[in-house]
Every structure is written in structure tokens, then in C-alpha cells.
Amino acid sequence: RAQGTFNVYVDAPSRLEDAGSAFPRFLAHASLFGKIVVIIDGLDKAELHELRPEDWLPSALPLAARVVVASSGCRAVTATRDFIGKQMEVVHVLPLTETERCEVIDLRLKAIAGGRVPASASLQTLTQSEDAGSPLFLALACGEMNARMRIQSQQREISGNGDGETYAASLQQASVFPETIAGLLGSVFNRWEKRFGTTLVAEATTLIACSKTGLAPDEVFYMLTQTPALVNLPVTEWEALQNELETHVWPTERLPGVPALAFFHHTVKHAVLRRFADAAATRRQKHLRVACFFARRDVDPSHRSVAEVLWGTREGKDWHALRALLTDPHVHALMWNQDTQVDLATHWDALLRGEQRAATALHQKLAPGPNGDLVPTKPRPPRRRLDLVKEFVSVADVTEVTADGILTPDVTKELLADFLAWAGFQSEACFVLRLLSHEKGDEADVAAVSINYKLGRALGRQGLRLECEKTLRKALEAEQALVGAETPMVAEIVTELCKVKMESGDAEQAGQLAAHAVSVWEAAEAAGYEEADVATMVQALTRLAEACEVLDRPQAAEAAYERALERLEHMLGPDHPEVAEHLGKMGGAYAAHGEWEKAEFCYCRALAFAHAFTGPMSLHISHFYNVLAELHRARGDVGQAQALYQRAAQVIEGVLGVNHPAVATYLSALAETLRAQGRLEDSLPLLVRALAIDESARGVAHAIVAVRLHNLAALFQDMDRLEDAEPLYQRALAIDIALLGPEHQNVTTYLNSLGDLYKKRQMWDKAVEHYTRAIAIDERALGPKHPNVAIYLNNLAGLHKQRGQLTAAEPLYLRALAIHETKALGGGDHGDDLAIYHNNIALLYKAQGKLVEAEAYYKRAIAVGEKSLGATHPKVATRLSNLGALLVDGEDFEGAAIAFQRALAIRTESLGDAHEDTKSTKEWIAHVVAKRGGDVETSPRGKMALNDVPAASPNQVASKPIAEHTQSPDVAQEMESPRVAPPRFDKMTPVSAPSSSRAVSPSTAAPSASPSASPSASTASRNGTTFRTTESMSSQVHTSSEAVDAAMTSVDAIVNKYGPPVPEPDPRHRSPFQPRTETPPPAIFETGASHAATPRRGTGQGWKTALGEEAVGADTTRHGSGGEASGPVHSSGGRDVDDWDEEVSSAPGFAELALDAFLSAHVEYLGGRQYRCVLDGKVLSKFSIMRVHVARKFPGLVHQWGL
């Protein structure tokens, strides 16, 4: 029903374990077609089913959706609050006020005395009762008053005065009602028993309470007449009691299916059972009586009757009867449907648990032994689920075929296998399917294909890959022989084979199968098969792209991703959650391939959609800010990465709170970025705060705490506070050893870091000990030719080089490079690692005086770096400086000048003139000029063909770990960060946070999670460090003209360029959730062309769009085509202040409220009449100028903020 109502095209999940994603996915799709409010009651029941919030709740709600959850206080509420943080607003439902109580009473009693007298005026005693603040108490009290008045009216002839007397008598009786719900219900039961007798009341109410969905009046009457004491019960007596029950049961017209009597509140139901069936044996007897009624032969089997029988036997704890029912193929066939399949799985679990408890209880009983002594009975082994399955198969073999010929023994067995696979019991499903496959033998028919396909899929989920592949190929051959080679079934079988091959590590074969699956799906689509829809095609293309990624075929992967995007946009339009999700995947792929601009385009499109779909404060927004920050950091633009990290941290703090563990992850990433800029003092409080948050939230012995300790120690090491760093490293190492053992490969990261520390402190023996131990552990765990081994070999070689033991260092360097070159030749993703190894060997040969060999390795390092990072990356500049220093030593001043000029051009562009590396490069150039005795020819890109160098021989290899440097021109920090998975807009788990680890050396990124002890609390106090929030840190961000110019290409500016055109505000559209703000509907509700085919808009055009064309069309002399100002221009490039203020005031279409709200969240006052925009770091001395700056630069975000 929901699929049709909200145009949700996705099908229900095919497995029970995937059911949790159905609700978030439904919200994501349904909210595109209208506003939706979902009300969920009974969250406390989630504890009974062991449900976690991430199993069903989305990490961010669409703007057009609201979820209201009603529940009493419980652990599930606390877990939900911890999961979504500030996104959840807790509203405590207070008791009704005096006025509200009177309104409820008057409303429920308005029919009494024709509404002439307000009932509440005469019921002050009732309104002051203990439970009067509960609507249930007032509803029960008013219902009881109505019932008593009806009885009194029937006992006398009604006249004008009589009606008044009846009304007065009822009010008098109500004044002495009990003051609690339990007492009031007790008085109701007393009145019923007095009028109808205890037997009739007890039998009727308990039968209704023990049914699952309620009982029809004639069903209750039949069961009552089967009671010995009520055999001659008159129909009129039952009808009179039924009238009394009307105020306590649901109106029959409001219940689906058969009109039935069912108590409207669980409090009433529990009160009935406590009163009339308090003993457990009595309740079981009542449940079994209801089950026996629906199990009669004269009752036609239906979903309702079978469900009642199963419920009654289960609650009656008749495990033998329940086992007989669940192993009946006809019962299973009736219950195996979308409406009752969850109940069926619950009954199976209840049966197994019940039989286990019964066996345990029997074992605890004492029985006479051989010597006459009382001894415990012999324990009976518990029955397994497989035993129940075998019993079902045995019954199915002797069950007759139904009259219509549909339910045969094989069909019922296959239905059981489908149920077991759906419920997640793959082993039991394989047992049934193997039997069916063995019965089919080599028979090639449609049924055999289906059975073998299902069997192969179940085997694959169990990890039995060889048998899985054999079974699937058997099904594939049969399907191709029967129907053809281009059918949906062929594509599905090939897809499963692709998964098996990928899991087996045969990526080449998996890629071929994935490509074959795509071609078959395309052929099936052209042939008109319904199964070959666009969603299936996109899944196949995505799987092909992932296979190509594993095979290191980036161009093929990108082509598959782009074809999938075209399909999605054609089916769903450019503004859809699945399109944004796919763009996130594409961005990650492009970033891994070094396609920075394409990755940024995809991320920014997804960010623009997230702003419109989930609002500016959501986990999706923080994720995309984070991945964009990672992107800029990988490109070497650490200033822009810092601004994006800061924004991500602000969003995550606003969503989850300042002490949430996710905040610590973002703070750590921001700290690493500041550290890369050399701002160590600014990085320190962020790492300290991240450590404090994680220790408080996760405990001092958690894995992530060890990572935080490691990163803080590395910072202390960079600050030359080596004594402070050592105990933190030791704590992190101790935590990892305690968790994983002393021989685990994660331990090597901490050993390597300690080795670096001891090397820096010139504690050579300890450094060698830690390096050697790390090498030995990784050689045993990963093999002697693993890249991690090469890292530690490189670091050990660096130690020998630092001690002057150049001969001992050379074979270690060469072995490390050989390992990594072998990996590169094998098609692995080596990135810039080879360049680091070549650079280090060049430094060694330079120290040995082998300048010719050193020059060859330097040139090779530069060539590899240009290919993997780009010709303008700061690391390339470092290697160019190293080469220049070498050429100076060889008195090749011409070549040195070219290398230094190229390095200077790169560093000036990426780091700025004020950076230490830029200044050092200029000093080198001056030194070269002095040596040459003349001017240097300035060639930014140089004349030397650095790529035209001989290839390194197998024996001439480099290393990856710590990139070593020569003198001052060669300072570069090698820092890696793992890729972050893109978020799903219909996913229930939180969006991935940035990597919290830092690359210790060019080695492994950072220790994977490992617990920790307790932080060094004295560190912060000893250095006077205090915890600071992200907001306080952002106020200290240094800005420069380069950073402000770079901000024009920031995420927010690109959101404005790539985002959908902003429609003119229409006062007719207003969100019911924001009644005071007149705003147009989100862009996702508007149709438009694909972003990929839409030309980019300049910032001036975005300004026009936000204002509305008529707002700027009349003043064409002040705007050029690109939005340039033609008025007075100051030296900073801005417009005259008066002109800017006049322009804002002349913009009648601009949403002033949205702009004010946006400014309050993104502009901070620095003091001294200075205002700073946190999005791009712009500092201005007048708020009106800042207002115009923000409105012109971020119109799209301002508009979406209003939404």
C-alpha cells in the first residue's frame, strides 16, 4: 500500500536482516513526492526484539519528512538519543492541566442532558483525582458514567424531570469514583459481576484478552455456550454484556478484516487478566481454548484462523502442538507471505526457546535412581532448528497434493527453503535445497534451474565458494539450454558467480563476469523483460565498476560509473537520493584515480542535493565537507582543507553535540591538517580534546583511544617534546598488545613510531630493537615481501644512514625498493610510494658521493611524483629542491637553477610567499646565482625533460617509509588518509566520519582501532593547555589573500555553481513544519536538466538567481555579464560601500529572514569592528559589507538555509 501511495519504486527487502533498511529507504523516496509524517508508538518494545536505532532509523531525515516516536522512558530511548544526538527533540508529555481535564470531560459527556450543563462544573472531585492527569483515566470515568446513565434510563420511564434526576444521580456517583486507573477498572468489573455474574464476565473478557486480533461477537458467544456453567446462556444476556464492553474495545468499523471485539488499551487487557486469570496455568488454558476454537474442522483455514491457532498454542506453551503446526506444509504455505512472514519467524524462534526451557526444567526435577535415591533426570539434548526442518521435510513427503494441484511436496519444500533463506538461516536452507537438487539430478527444467540458483546463492552466503560455483554453473548451463543466453535469470546467475569470484580473490574472472552480466541485462532490457529495469542495470554497472577498481583499471571503472549515473538520472531525475549516493561513489573513485576536478564536481553536486534534501545541519553535510577536505589535502591545498574540516566539525557538533565520539574524529582530522601547515600549537588542543572525548565516551581501554594517544604523541614528537611523547606511545602500544596480542600486525605501527622517537633521541639500540621487532612481526604475519615490511626496512636503513653506517643502510634501502617495485609491477595501487623510496636512495647515494646515481634516482622520483600527484604538487617541489641541491654539489648550476625555479613556482602557488619552504627555495636560488656569478634564466616549468630518464634496474630500488630531506629546502611531511565511503541518503547507520588516524610514516596509515589506557592528564595541565571548542579555534584562523582567493573555488561557491537553479520565492508554498517562514519549495520538487549537462553559473549569475531577474534587470549599467561591478573600485577589488548597501536594499525578492539566519550561523564578531565569515575566512570591518559579501558569494546556501 505504501508503494502505491508514495510512488516508491523499490521492492520490499528479500531477507529479514535487510528489513531494517526498508524504513529509511521508504522515507527517502516518499519524501520526494510530498510531505510525510510517520508516527511510531511503543519504542520500548524494541528492547524485547533487541533492535538498535541504527537498525531502522536513518542518520538524517529529509526536510519533507518527520518521524514522531511515542514511548515511555527506557533504554531504547536513550540509545536513540545517543545515535542521532540533537536531531531528536525529546518532548515530555506532562499530565493534563485542570483546564484540559475539564475540556476532556465536557467533550466526552456533551450528549448528557443535551449539553445544557457543563459536566466538569459538577465533577471537581473527579478532576482532582490522583490519575486525573491521564487521558485514559478520564476516558474510562466518562465511559462508566455513560454506562450507568444508560442503565438508569432503561429502568424508569424518561420524562423531562426524569432525565435531570438521572443526570444528577450519575454526577453523584462519579464523585465517589476511585482515584486511580486500577481502582476505577476494579469498580467497573465489580458492577459487571454484580449484574451478569462472575462466570460470564470472567469467561467473556479473558477470551477476548487472550486472542491475537480480537474475537467476533458470535465467536465469543459460541465459546461461552461451550462452558458447562453457561450452556443455556440467553443471547440477550450476552448482548447486554457486549453493550457494556463497547466503551472498552475498539469500534469494530475501525479494525481491518472481520469485525471483532478487541480491548483498545493494553492497560485494560492486563487488568482483565490480572483479575480473572492471574494464575499462569489459567492463562495458558484460555489461550489454548481460543486456539482449539479456530482449529475446528468446520472453520475454513485462513490467515486469521491459522495466526490465532499459532498464537494460542505458543502462548499456551503447548510446544508439541506448535511443532506439529510449524511442520505442517499447508500451515506454512498460508503464513509465508509479506503480511505474516515475520510472525512465522517469531513462532519458530519461540518454539526452539520454549522446548529448550522445558528440557532444562525437566532436567532439574529429581527422580528415583538405581539405588532408590532421588537424582536429576538424564538431560535431553536440545532440538536444533535443523531437526525441525527435517521433520517438516518428512511431513511434506507424505502430504497430499492440494485439490488445485499447486502445493506439491517439492513446492512446499522450496517454500520452506525460501523462508529459511529470508530469515537468515542459510545452513538449513542449503539442507532442503540439496535434497531437492539431488532429487532433480541432471534433469534440466525451470524448477531445477530455480533450485540450483537458490542453492548456489545460499552456499555463497555461507562461504562455501567451490560448491557454490559448481552449483551456479550447473544452473547457468540449464538456463541457457532451456530459455537462452540473454534472460534475467542468466544475468542473476552470472552476478552471483561474479560475487563468488570476487570473494575468492579472482578479480580478473570477476571482472569478466561483471561485464557479461551487464551485457546480458542490456539484452534482456531490449527484449522487454520486466526484471531488467533501470535499478537492476545500475546495480550491475556499479558492480562492474567495483571489479574494475580492484583490477586497477580506472578508465573502465569511471566509464561504468558514468553509464550508471546516466541511467539513474534518466529514471529518477538529477535531484534524487540515489543519484546523490551514486555521485558520492563516483567522487571517491575519481579521487582515488587522481581526477581531482571530477571528484570535486561529484562531491559538490552531492553536497548541493544534501543541502536541499536534509538541510544544512545533517550528517550528510558533514560527510561531504569532510571528503572535500580530504580531497584538498591530497592535492596539497591544506589551507582550503582546514576551512572545510572546520565547517565539518561545526556541523557535526551542531548535530550530535560537542561531546559525541564523532566530533573527536573530525577534531583529529582538523588537527592533522593544522599540523601539516606547521601550526603545531593550534593542533595540540584539538588532539587533547579529541582524546578527552573518546576516553569519556568509549572508555580508557578502547581501540580508538590508542589511536588518539598515538597521534598526540606524534605531535609532541614534531614539537620536540620527546619526553612527553614517549609515555603516550608506550600507553598506545600497551593497549594494542592487551587487545590483540604481542604478535599482531597492528602492534608494528606503534613499534615503528617508538623506533622513530628513539632514533630522534639518538637512543640507537632501542630504535634498532623496535624496528627489528616490527620487521619480524610483519614478516611472520604478512610475508617477507609485503609492502609494510618495506616500510620498516626503509626506516631501519634511515637509522643506519643517520649514524653514518652508509654501507649497512644501502642493502636495506634496495630491498625495500625491490619489494615495492614488485608490487607496482603487479598492478597494485602504489600511488606516490615509489617516489618516496627513490628519493631516499638518492639521498643515500648523495651522502656516499655517488652523484650520478643519486641524480638518476632523484629524476625518477620526480617523474613518479608528477604522474601520481600532478606536476604542481608540493611533494614534487620538495624532490625538485633535493635535485637542485645535488646539482649544486656537482656544480651543474644551470640544471640546479631550472630545478629550483620549478620548485619555487610550485611552492609560491600552493604555499604562498610567506611559507618557510618558499623562502628557503629563494635562498637556494640566490646561492645558485652567486655561484654562477650572474642572473638565472627564469623558466617556471624548466627546460629539462625530467621524464626522459633511464628506468631503474631491478637492483636500483627505493623505499616508502619516512621521506628523508636534505637541508632546509627539503621539508615535506608525507601524510596519507584512507578513503571515506560515501553516505547513503536512505541508510540508517551514521555517515562515515573522517579517518581519525594519521600516517605515521609512509607506512601503514595509522593503527587500526585498538583500545587504550588512560590519557596523560598531566600533559595538558603541564603545558597550560585548555580545551577549546571548534568555534573558538576558528576565530584564530589566519587568513591571507591567497586563502581568500582560493575560497572562490571552495565547496560553497561550487555548490552555487553546480546546484539546481533557485526558483523565485512563491508565498503560496509554505512548509507545515516552519509556519513562520515564507519560502519556496526545495529544488528537489522542481524538474530540470541534469547538472552534468548544465553550464556552470558564475557568482554574479548566482546572485541574480537569488534575487530574482526583475531585481537586477533594471540596473544593467552596474552589472556586467559576469557580475562585475562598474562602480567605484577600491584597491581590494570590492565595490563602493554605499553602492553595495543600495544594491541589497533594492532587492525586493531576497529572503531577508533566511539571510539573517544564515549570517547568525556563519559570521562571527572578532572584536574591534571586525567580522569574519567562517566559510571562506573573509574579514571585513562593516557588517553591511559582510552581509552583501555573503549574499553574493553564497546565494544558493542562503536560499537552502531558508528552506
Side-chain angles (χ1 to χ4, degrees):
R1 288 192 296 269
Q3 284 181 308
T5 303
F6 296 99
N7 297 318
V8 179
Y9 77 93
V10 292
D11 295 328
S14 59
R15 292 186 295 173
L16 183 59
E17 61 191 40
D18 298 330
S21 63
F23 176 62
R25 195 171 182 83
F26 160 74
L27 282 181
H29 288 79
S31 60
L32 294 173
F33 298 94
K35 297 178 178 65
I36 177 174
V37 178
V38 180
I39 300 177
I40 301 175
D41 192 12
L43 184 61
D44 50 323
K45 300 296 189 299
E47 296 180 11
L48 302 177
H49 300 281
E50 300 179 352
L51 289 176
R52 301 170 301 172
E54 53 266 33
D55 293 334
W56 63 275
L57 193 62
S59 57
L61 286 176
L63 289 176
R66 293 293 184 272
V67 177
V68 180
V69 180
S71 174
S72 58
C74 59
R75 292 192 302 271
V77 172
T78 304
T80 304
R81 186 186 299 112
D82 293 340
F83 175 60
I84 59 179
K86 293 184 178 180
Q87 296 179 92
M88 182 176 74
E89 180 182 358
V90 179
V91 179
H92 298 284
V93 181
L94 301 176
L96 297 176
T97 63
E98 185 74 23
T99 303
E100 292 170 337
R101 298 174 190 181
C102 294
E103 291 176 353
V104 171
I105 292 175
D106 291 338
L107 180 64
R108 296 298 296 264
L109 300 178
K110 64 181 179 180
I112 298 178
R116 295 189 301 271
V117 182
S120 59
S122 305
L123 294 174
Q124 294 182 358
T125 304
L126 183 64
T127 58
Q128 298 298 326
S129 299
E130 180 180 343
D131 285 351
S134 169
L136 176 62
F137 175 84
L138 297 179
L140 292 172
C142 293
E144 181 64 7
M145 286 184 61
N146 278 319
R148 294 189 181 192
M149 287 187 62
R150 185 171 61 249
I151 295 172
Q152 294 172 6
S153 298
Q154 293 172 356
Q155 293 175 351
R156 68 183 70 181
E157 294 183 3
I158 301 177
S159 62
N161 294 334
D163 184 46
E165 294 175 2
T166 302
Y167 177 68
S170 298
L171 293 178
Q172 184 178 3
Q173 293 175 3
S175 63
V176 295
F177 278 171
E179 295 190 357
T180 62
I181 295 176
L184 183 58
L185 287 172
S187 68
V188 172
F189 297 152
N190 289 334
R191 184 174 59 81
W192 288 353
E193 291 180 40
K194 184 177 180 180
R195 180 179 177 186
F196 302 103
T198 302
T199 303
L200 174 58
V201 174
E203 289 293 321
T205 55
T206 52
L207 288 173
I208 295 173
C210 289
S211 65
K212 179 176 176 60
T213 58
L215 298 173
D218 58 334
E219 295 171 344
V220 179
F221 181 72
Y222 177 87
M223 282 189 279
L224 290 174
T225 57
Q226 302 303 308
T227 304
L230 301 174
V231 173
N232 300 320
L233 176 67
V235 177
T236 55
E237 192 74 2
W238 160 237
E239 291 176 348
L241 178 57
Q242 183 180 342
N243 291 334
E244 291 286 342
L245 290 170
E246 284 182 358
T247 58
H248 302 279
V249 298
W250 286 105
T252 54
E253 65 273 7
R254 293 183 59 180
L255 294 177
V258 178
L261 300 175
F263 291 116
F264 75 90
H265 200 278
H266 63 85
T267 302
V268 181
K269 176 181 177 180
H270 293 162
V272 167
L273 294 176
R274 283 195 300 268
R275 173 89 174 211
F276 302 113
D278 190 38
T282 305
R283 292 190 187 184
R284 289 198 298 269
Q285 186 268 335
K286 296 296 182 183
H287 280 291
L288 292 174
R289 186 176 174 188
V290 174
C292 291
F293 169 79
F294 285 99
R296 292 179 299 133
R297 293 185 179 275
D298 57 338
V299 176
D300 294 332
S302 63
H303 288 126
R304 176 172 177 262
S305 62
V306 173
E308 288 287 356
V309 173
L310 288 170
W311 171 262
T313 53
R314 169 183 155 186
E315 294 301 310
K317 294 181 173 51
D318 188 346
W319 307 122
H320 295 289
L322 184 58
R323 172 176 284 271
L325 288 167
L326 292 180
T327 54
D328 187 335
H330 296 298
V331 172
H332 187 275
L334 276 171
M335 293 293 292
W336 176 229
N337 59 75
Q338 290 188 352
D339 294 329
T340 56
Q341 57 194 13
V342 175
D343 291 337
L344 184 60
T346 305
H347 291 317
W348 275 63
D349 293 337
L351 172 62
L352 294 173
R353 290 196 302 268
E355 289 188 333
Q356 177 61 41
R357 285 195 296 266
T360 303
L362 181 63
H363 174 58
Q364 292 175 350
K365 292 183 178 180
L366 299 178
N371 300 328
D373 299 333
L374 294 177
V375 296
T377 59
K378 185 178 181 180
R380 185 180 63 184
R383 293 186 179 180
R384 302 169 300 167
R385 193 180 304 272
L386 184 59
D387 298 329
L388 189 60
V389 171
K390 291 178 179 179
E391 189 172 339
F392 182 101
V393 172
S394 300
V395 175
D397 288 334
V398 297
T399 301
E400 296 181 358
V401 180
T402 55
D404 55 11
I406 295 177
L407 286 181
T408 64
D410 286 351
V411 170
T412 56
K413 293 176 189 176
E414 191 170 355
L415 288 176
L416 175 64
D418 292 341
F419 164 72
L420 293 170
W422 169 83
F425 306 115
Q426 306 300 334
S427 177
E428 290 78 5
C430 286
F431 172 79
V432 179
L433 292 169
R434 280 195 182 101
L435 292 177
L436 293 173
S437 178
H438 180 72
E439 292 175 2
K440 290 290 184 181
D442 295 331
E443 183 178 352
D445 57 8
V446 176
V449 172
S450 175
I451 290 170
N452 285 319
Y453 167 66
K454 293 176 182 178
L455 175 58
R457 188 168 56 180
L459 290 168
R461 290 172 179 171
Q462 285 187 274
L464 304 174
R465 300 190 184 97
L466 293 178
E467 186 181 358
C468 169
E469 181 179 358
K470 179 180 177 181
T471 306
L472 288 174
R473 292 196 179 278
K474 180 179 178 181
L476 179 61
E477 293 173 1
E479 175 69 12
Q480 290 175 334
L482 285 171
V483 185
E486 296 179 345
T487 66
M489 178 56 76
V490 170
E492 290 179 2
I493 296 173
V494 172
T495 299
E496 290 296 326
L497 283 169
C498 173
K499 293 179 183 178
V500 173
K501 287 296 184 182
M502 187 67 73
E503 293 171 358
S504 302
D506 191 351
E508 185 68 33
Q509 186 73 11
Q512 296 175 6
L513 290 168
H516 181 52
V518 170
S519 63
V520 174
W521 278 121
E522 289 178 338
E525 181 185 34
Y529 286 98
E530 293 182 357
E531 297 89 343
D533 56 8
V534 176
T536 308
M537 282 297 309
V538 169
Q539 293 174 1
L541 287 167
T542 303
R543 191 172 291 109
L544 174 60
E546 293 170 351
C548 293
E549 291 283 3
V550 175
L551 291 170
D552 197 19
R553 297 172 184 170
Q555 294 181 347
E558 292 172 9
Y561 276 128
E562 290 164 4
R563 287 175 60 190
L565 179 63
E566 292 176 2
R567 293 276 188 159
L568 277 174
E569 289 187 326
H570 175 74
M571 176 179 66
L572 305 174
D575 295 317
H576 194 277
E578 292 198 14
V579 175
E581 177 188 337
H582 189 77
L583 285 167
K585 293 179 181 178
M586 291 180 63
Y590 285 135
H593 305 157
E595 299 279 356
W596 311 119
E597 293 184 1
K598 290 182 179 180
E600 187 174 31
F601 176 85
C602 292
Y603 283 145
C604 289
R605 268 199 61 187
L607 177 61
F609 174 80
H611 267 282
F613 191 63
T614 62
M617 299 295 289
S618 71
L619 296 180
H620 293 98
I621 299 298
S622 64
H623 167 81
F624 285 118
Y625 277 127
N626 168 65
V627 292
L628 282 164
E630 297 285 350
L631 190 66
H632 282 281
R633 189 175 76 173
R635 298 174 65 176
D637 187 359
V638 290
Q640 188 71 2
Q642 173 201 338
L644 291 165
Y645 274 135
Q646 284 181 312
R647 180 60 182 148
Q650 289 171 351
V651 172
I652 204 71
E653 283 183 344
V655 174
L656 299 177
V658 295
N659 293 320
H660 195 276
V663 175
T665 304
Y666 284 89
L667 290 174
S668 181
L670 176 59
E672 291 301 322
T673 306
L674 293 172
R675 176 179 164 275
Q677 294 178 282
R679 297 171 55 185
L680 306 183
E681 292 295 337
D682 290 337
S683 177
L684 176 60
L686 296 178
L687 287 178
V688 172
R689 183 184 166 203
L691 175 62
I693 291 174
D694 275 327
E695 284 191 321
S696 175
R698 306 177 190 271
V700 295
H702 195 275
I704 297 299
V705 175
V707 177
R708 300 282 180 261
L709 288 166
H710 180 275
N711 292 350
L712 182 58
L715 178 65
F716 282 147
Q717 184 173 339
D718 291 346
M719 299 172 70
D720 289 329
R721 293 171 53 178
L722 306 183
E723 292 79 8
D724 293 332
E726 183 176 1
L728 298 180
Y729 276 139
Q730 294 286 5
R731 271 191 60 200
L733 176 62
I735 293 168
D736 221 39
I737 290 177
L739 285 176
L740 306 173
E743 297 299 316
H744 195 275
Q745 63 189 69
N746 276 19
V747 174
T748 59
T749 300
Y750 299 105
L751 292 171
N752 179 72
S753 297
L754 277 168
D756 294 342
L757 176 70
Y758 291 133
K759 180 171 68 174
K760 195 169 184 179
R761 298 181 65 181
Q762 297 186 0
M763 301 171 68
W764 309 117
D765 293 339
K766 281 192 173 183
V768 171
E769 175 189 350
H770 284 78
Y771 283 141
T772 305
R773 184 178 168 191
I775 294 171
I777 292 174
D778 265 357
E779 283 183 334
R780 286 192 295 268
L782 305 174
K785 295 185 178 181
H786 194 274
N788 285 6
V789 176
I791 293 169
Y792 305 134
L793 287 170
N794 179 89
N795 292 352
L796 180 59
L799 181 146
H800 289 310
K801 176 176 174 290
Q802 189 172 343
R803 298 180 68 179
Q805 300 173 352
L806 305 184
T807 304
E810 183 175 1
L812 297 174
Y813 272 136
L814 294 177
R815 181 188 166 193
L817 179 57
I819 292 173
H820 213 75
E821 271 198 336
T822 303
K823 175 190 173 186
L825 292 175
D829 181 17
H830 53 83
D832 188 51
D833 296 342
L834 271 179
I836 299 174
Y837 286 103
H838 281 90
N839 183 76
N840 290 351
I841 288 190
L843 291 171
L844 175 69
Y845 284 148
K846 178 183 177 183
Q848 290 178 325
K850 302 177 181 179
L851 302 186
V852 176
E853 292 86 346
E855 181 179 353
Y857 275 98
Y858 272 138
K859 291 181 179 180
R860 179 61 178 162
I862 294 170
V864 173
E866 288 179 332
K867 181 179 179 181
S868 60
L869 302 175
T872 59
H873 197 279
K875 290 183 181 179
V876 176
T878 298
R879 290 151 194 165
L880 285 167
S881 296
N882 289 347
L883 176 61
L886 176 73
L887 295 176
V888 168
D889 291 346
E891 298 185 353
D892 183 359
F893 300 117
E894 184 72 21
I898 295 174
F900 280 125
Q901 285 290 356
R902 284 193 58 191
L904 178 62
I906 295 172
R907 284 173 168 169
T908 302
E909 179 181 355
S910 60
L911 304 177
D913 291 327
H915 197 276
E916 290 298 325
D917 290 350
T918 307
K919 295 178 181 179
S920 175
T921 308
K922 291 179 179 179
E923 294 175 1
W924 271 107
I925 293 176
H927 176 69
V928 171
V929 170
K931 287 286 186 179
R932 292 176 59 189
D935 295 333
V936 181
E937 180 181 348
T938 59
S939 175
R941 295 292 173 239
K943 298 180 180 180
M944 183 174 51
L946 294 179
N947 290 329
D948 188 17
V949 293
S953 65
N955 296 325
Q956 296 173 329
V957 190
S959 28
K960 168 182 177 179
I962 302 175
E964 302 175 12
H965 322 296
T966 63
Q967 306 177 29
S968 59
D970 316 310
V971 182
Q973 180 67 34
E974 302 289 348
M975 190 168 69
E976 312 277 344
S977 75
R979 291 174 55 187
V980 183
R984 286 188 54 179
F985 285 85
D986 56 359
K987 190 176 176 65
M988 54 287 176
T989 53
V991 180
S992 301
S995 168
S996 61
S997 55
R998 91 181 251 279
V1000 183
S1001 54
S1003 79
T1004 52
S1008 64
S1010 69
S1012 103
S1014 140
S1016 167
S1018 63
T1019 303
S1021 59
R1022 185 169 59 247
N1023 295 282
T1025 304
T1026 57
F1027 297 149
R1028 290 182 285 174
T1029 62
T1030 305
E1031 288 80 0
S1032 64
M1033 284 298 299
S1034 64
S1035 64
Q1036 301 179 7
V1037 176
H1038 302 298
T1039 58
S1040 62
S1041 57
E1042 292 82 1
V1044 173
D1045 293 338
M1048 291 301 295
T1049 60
S1050 71
V1051 55
D1052 301 306
I1054 296 177
V1055 166
N1056 180 34
K1057 293 180 182 180
Y1058 300 154
V1062 181
E1064 181 183 355
D1066 187 345
R1068 296 173 297 175
H1069 298 279
R1070 182 163 64 183
S1071 169
F1073 309 113
Q1074 297 176 347
R1076 284 184 269 178
T1077 306
E1078 298 286 350
T1079 58
I1084 56 175
F1085 298 121
E1086 304 292 333
T1087 57
S1090 168
H1091 294 282
T1094 304
R1096 300 185 181 183
R1097 295 181 283 120
T1099 55
Q1101 292 172 323
W1103 171 237
K1104 291 182 181 181
T1105 305
L1107 290 176
E1109 227 17 78
E1110 68 279 0
V1112 295
D1115 189 9
T1116 57
T1117 62
R1118 298 170 57 194
H1119 292 280
S1121 60
E1124 298 293 337
S1126 58
V1129 178
H1130 298 280
S1131 59
S1132 61
R1135 195 162 353 182
D1136 186 80
V1137 173
D1138 296 324
D1139 288 346
W1140 282 9
D1141 290 339
E1142 180 184 352
E1143 184 171 283
V1144 173
S1145 63
S1146 65
F1150 198 82
E1152 295 292 333
L1153 293 178
L1155 179 58
D1156 290 339
F1158 190 86
L1159 290 169
S1160 65
H1162 298 87
V1163 175
E1164 59 183 4
Y1165 181 64
L1166 303 178
R1169 299 180 61 189
Q1170 295 290 316
Y1171 298 87
R1172 177 178 174 276
C1173 176
V1174 299
L1175 296 177
D1176 61 359
K1178 185 76 171 181
V1179 178
L1180 297 172
S1181 60
K1182 191 173 180 181
F1183 187 81
S1184 59
I1185 303 178
M1186 178 61 73
R1187 183 183 181 87
V1188 175
H1189 168 74
V1190 171
R1192 293 195 59 173
K1193 195 166 185 181
F1194 311 107
L1197 291 183
V1198 171
H1199 177 74
Q1200 299 300 341
W1201 190 274
L1203 297 179

